[in-house]
């Protein structure tokens, strides 16, 4: 395993690999790694000759200063976990190194309506920040496949839009959400929860599962309200959203015909930490 901190040395290495006809998989992360990240590494290792994992806490995607300051940093542990998972290349640039890479002003990406709903609505500027950094990383690494987690459902759609708009020749593979045995979606932010908070946080999975099981002849507004109340009754301080959306456009639905594929998405705060989760399902007769 090689750890690169500079773009020029990384590019040199990757150029040699590509010249030798090697397939390259790429897993971008912000560190504080857990089994969710490692599942993306495993998927990449299965399908490529070399896997690159980047660790970069992208300030541009934090709309909340406190969230940025408190974001967990576990560098040594991350490197160890990546080594044990067989990752060939780690890229850990400093903010200055990433800043130096281009001289142009950050682009304003056209993310259409996807930017105005759900995470986009509650975290203004978040997806522009994500695109700025991921576009740079893709230009530097030029992987064959980019591995993303369904955990960040909206981000997957945004990055799909980015690569199509910018004509970046990369495949995107979305990997399933890794959960703890009691259902909590793994997240770096979970490290900041108390033991009690972590247990209560599983309510998100419970409400998603309950909605999924009961999506038949259900009044969506009532379902939504019940789920919100259940979260508030189980230690969540605030619910940003519980929505049912079209999985391709993220159009917010209040009704879905029988058999329609939908995605249920939740964002809520517990112990002042914002957690997100989602679940795909197929709706049955729903009314609003
Ligand atoms: P992050 O470090 O949070 O920016 O995440 C890096 C990548 O790991 C993103 O593509 C995430 O969607 C993915 N990821 C984060 N948590 C999980 C999880 N529980 N299961 C699968 N993938 C995940």
């Amino acid at each position: 395993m090689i750890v690169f901190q500079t773009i020029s040395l990384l590019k040199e290495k990757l150029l040699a690999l590509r010249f030798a006809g090697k397939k390259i998989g790429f897993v971008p992360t912000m560190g504080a790694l857990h089994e969710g990240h490692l599942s993306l590494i495993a998927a990449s290792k299965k399908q490529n000759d070399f896997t690159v994992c980047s660790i970069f806490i992208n300030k541009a995607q934090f709309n909340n200063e406190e969230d940025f300051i408190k974001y967990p940093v576990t560098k040594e542990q991350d490197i160890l976990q990546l080594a044990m998972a067989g990752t060939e290349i780690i890229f850990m640039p400093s903010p200055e190194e990433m800043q130096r890479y281009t001289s142009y002003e950050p682009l304003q990406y056209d993310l259409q309506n996807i930017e105005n709903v759900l995470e986009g609505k509650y975290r203004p500027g978040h997806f522009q920040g994500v695109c700025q950094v991921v576009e740079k990383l893709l230009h530097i690494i030029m992987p064959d496949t980019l591995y993303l987690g369904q955990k960040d459902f909206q981000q997957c759609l945004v990055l799909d839009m980015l690569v199509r708009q910018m004509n970046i020749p990369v495949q995107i593979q979305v990997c399933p959400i890794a959960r703890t045995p009691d259902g909590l979606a793994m997240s770096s932010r979970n490290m900041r929860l108390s033991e009690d908070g972590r247990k209560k946080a599983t309510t998100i999975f419970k409400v998603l599962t309950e909605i999924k099981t009961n999506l038949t002849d259900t009044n969506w507004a009532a379902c939504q309200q019940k789920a919100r109340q259940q979260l508030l009754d189980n230690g969540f301080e605030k619910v940003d959203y519980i929505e049912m959306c079209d999985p391709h456009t993220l159009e917010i639905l209040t009704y879905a015909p029988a058999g329609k594929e939908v995605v249920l998405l939740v964002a809520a705060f517990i112990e002042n930490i914002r957690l997100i989760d989602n679940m795909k399902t197929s709706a049955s007769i729903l009314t609003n």
Side-chain angles (χ1 to χ4, degrees):
M1 185 176 79
I2 316 178
V3 181
F4 289 91
Q5 290 181 311
T6 61
I7 293 167
S8 55
L9 290 178
L10 173 69
K11 283 184 84 163
E12 207 175 289
K13 171 74 182 170
L14 291 174
L15 192 68
L17 291 178
R18 264 193 304 277
F19 194 67
K22 303 294 182 196
K23 271 178 82 178
I24 296 164
F26 174 42
V27 180
T29 80
M30 296 204 298
L33 302 183
H34 49 69
E35 280 172 44
H37 297 113
L38 297 178
S39 71
L40 307 195
I41 300 284
S44 169
K45 279 193 63 70
K46 235 186 232 169
Q47 295 163 358
N48 297 279
D49 302 306
F50 283 80
T51 292
V52 182
C53 177
S54 66
I55 298 179
F56 180 67
I57 303 185
N58 171 24
K59 190 167 194 292
Q61 75 184 61
F62 285 84
N63 56 312
N64 176 330
E65 180 81 7
E66 192 191 343
D67 189 29
F68 173 68
I69 292 167
K70 291 191 173 163
Y71 201 83
V73 178
T74 56
K75 273 187 198 167
E76 284 78 20
Q77 237 172 289
D78 291 349
I79 294 174
L80 199 66
Q81 289 196 76
L82 289 173
M84 289 194 314
T87 314
E88 286 83 8
I89 295 175
I90 303 181
F91 180 42
M92 294 175 87
S94 64
E96 295 72 30
E97 180 70 3
M98 286 297 276
Q99 196 63 42
R100 262 198 302 274
Y101 184 60
T102 42
S103 50
Y104 61 74
E105 281 297 300
L107 285 174
Q108 192 64 25
Y109 300 89
D110 175 14
L111 302 174
Q112 295 159 26
N113 198 41
I114 293 194
E115 193 174 18
N116 304 321
V117 294
L118 308 169
E119 292 303 283
K121 176 174 165 192
Y122 287 91
R123 302 183 67 188
H126 168 67
F127 288 123
Q128 291 293 330
V130 169
C131 286
Q132 280 164 23
V133 161
V134 175
E135 193 198 350
K136 266 191 200 185
L137 289 169
L138 289 174
H139 282 308
I140 294 165
I141 294 161
M142 293 200 270
D144 294 280
T145 308
L146 170 65
Y147 293 83
L148 302 172
Q150 189 199 316
K151 162 82 173 22
D152 296 275
F153 192 90
Q154 193 169 3
Q155 177 168 276
C156 295
L157 294 185
V158 162
L159 293 179
D160 184 60
M161 213 173 226
L162 171 80
V163 302
R164 282 188 284 114
Q165 259 174 35
M166 309 306 287
N167 288 314
I168 302 173
V170 65
Q171 299 287 322
I172 291 185
Q173 181 156 325
V174 178
C175 302
I177 303 176
R179 300 180 180 279
T180 57
D182 55 5
L184 180 65
M186 291 183 179
S187 162
S188 306
R189 289 184 176 86
N190 295 352
M191 290 179 193
R192 292 173 48 207
L193 291 171
S194 70
E195 192 47 41
D196 183 48
R198 213 208 62 79
K199 275 194 202 121
K200 287 180 172 159
T202 58
T203 311
I204 295 194
F205 177 68
K206 287 188 196 120
V207 302
L208 283 172
T209 312
E210 215 168 289
I211 299 176
K212 183 172 168 168
T213 335
N214 296 324
L215 270 187
T216 315
D217 293 329
T218 311
N219 175 306
W220 171 245
C223 207
Q224 210 175 16
Q225 183 47 36
K226 188 177 161 207
R228 177 180 293 268
Q229 198 53 51
Q230 229 169 308
L231 288 169
L232 295 173
D233 290 346
N234 283 281
F236 280 82
E237 295 109 35
K238 192 167 103 165
V239 179
D240 274 353
Y241 59 79
I242 301 172
E243 298 289 0
M244 172 173 69
C245 293
D246 179 290
H248 306 291
T249 61
L250 280 195
E251 181 197 347
I252 292 177
L253 306 170
T254 53
Y255 153 82
K260 178 168 171 53
E261 287 292 311
V262 298
V263 57
L264 306 164
L265 303 110
V266 174
F269 285 86
I270 187 161
E271 296 182 343
N272 220 9
I273 297 159
R274 190 170 182 280
L275 302 180
I276 58 170
D277 198 351
N278 66 81
M279 206 174 269
K280 278 210 236 175
T281 185
S282 127
S284 198
I285 315 148
L286 294 173
T287 54
N288 58 8

